Amino acid sequence: RSAADRKPLKSMGTIHQATSGVSAIHVGGYDKGLLSVGRHNGSADVWQLVHRGDKQAAPRWDRVSAASGAHHSWERVNRVAMSPDGRFLVACTDDNTGVWRLPATPDEEPFELRHLHGGDWQVSALDVAQLRPGSHLIAIAFLSGAFEGWRVDDGAVEDAEDESDDLSKFGAPAKLTPTWQQLRKGSPRIVAISMALEGASARTGQGVIAAAGADGQVLLWSVDGLGRFAAATAAPRWAVRPSQMGFAFSAVDVLVATGDDGLFDLERSPCWVAAGCEGQLVAMECSSGTVVHSGIVSGSVLAVRWR
């Protein structure tokens, strides 16, 4: 588009009462207008966009929740992510990682489901996606090279794996269940993760996880409706190095097309992975990792998104 056709973005208001500088942001709770903000003081806030009755008036941001897992004054939140429905928050500092179930009202406190402490748990990449209503999958990678998956279930969830998955009768608001753990000792760390789980809404469904490694590899796994790797070996379906220059990819995103039944089949359903690195943007087929597009871009690609 020409410069004359471009219009400035409309402001959606300003977040006030910022007691500490912003170090990370993530949009979640799409139907609720929620924004998670990580701060330099080790805390994470959740803000909600509120539209006023007067259409001419700018909307305002209300802080609806706050959580902090930092143990030291020098910690800052360098990664923050929220589930699409706004129920779960993950905040990662330089020394701590916490997963919280967010309260339904601002008067309640967040419930911490998991806490990791120490330099070995510094996070290098993170993504949160919905498996089905009330159940989400967290894919998290660490600087050590380790790669883990955690399923979080919000109280009673349909199709629970067993009765122990329902902790609502014990008064717990949610449960976190590890679904996989790859130590990957000696392997380059994962620097970007993207999940598409729309087709994994049932146990027979499938979802895909794409990741970019610091060594220039792009990898893809298939998971079932409970967030477990489909392959018994937990090995990726494929791992390719699409950069002819050997650059590491710093951004990745995956897009799937589900069938009329809402499910996804990796062998038959359309699915693509986009990845970007220094001066290059590529698109690959999920089934094989075959590059279907490769383009030269100016500068470094720091983020990509299918729409």
Side-chain angles (χ1 to χ4, degrees), residues 207-243:
V208 291
I209 302 174
D215 60 345
Q217 281 197 113
V218 178
L219 311 95
L220 184 132
W221 290 266
S222 175
V223 295
D224 64 15
L226 293 174
R228 303 171 301 195
F229 284 138
T233 62
R237 181 181 178 92
W238 48 258
V240 299
R241 286 185 172 86
S243 173

Side-chain angles (χ1 to χ4, degrees), residues 69-182:
H71 293 170
H72 311 284
S73 60
W74 47 264
E75 289 183 64
R76 65 183 177 89
V77 173
N78 47 46
R79 281 176 178 80
V80 64
M82 192 190 310
S83 63
D85 63 358
R87 297 181 182 182
F88 298 98
L89 176 71
V90 186
C92 312
T93 74
D94 302 295
D95 199 43
N96 291 273
T97 294
V99 181
W100 287 271
R101 167 62 167 93
L102 296 174
T105 66
D107 298 330
E108 301 176 68
E109 294 293 327
F111 182 86
E112 190 172 48
L113 297 171
R114 185 159 198 183
H115 190 100
L116 301 176
H117 172 67
D120 291 342
W121 299 109
Q122 291 187 50
V123 173
S124 61
L126 170 69
D127 194 26
V128 183
Q130 179 174 292
L131 281 164
R132 57 192 182 279
S135 183
H136 296 78
L137 184 64
I138 300 171
I140 187 166
F142 302 94
L143 293 181
S144 64
F147 184 38
E148 297 188 15
W150 307 333
R151 193 182 79 239
V152 284
D153 295 325
D154 187 15
V157 177
E158 295 180 4
D159 299 326
E161 190 173 6
D162 53 50
E163 291 184 357
S164 65
D165 278 343
D166 180 7
L167 294 191
S168 59
K169 56 181 174 292
F170 299 114
K175 179 185 179 183
L176 185 148
T177 304
T179 57
W180 80 79
Q181 182 185 50
Q182 292 187 333

Side-chain angles (χ1 to χ4, degrees), residues 23-38:
S23 54
I25 58 173
H26 183 265
V27 177
Y30 303 124
D31 59 338
K32 303 176 183 177
L34 299 179
L35 178 72
S36 55
V37 178

Side-chain angles (χ1 to χ4, degrees), residues 17-19 35-39 43-47 63 65-67 80 82 89:
Q17 301 177 356
T19 57
L35 178 72
S36 55
V37 178
R39 299 195 179 279
S43 67
D45 305 333
V46 178
W47 298 77
R63 191 172 75 167
S65 189
V80 64
M82 192 190 310
L89 176 71

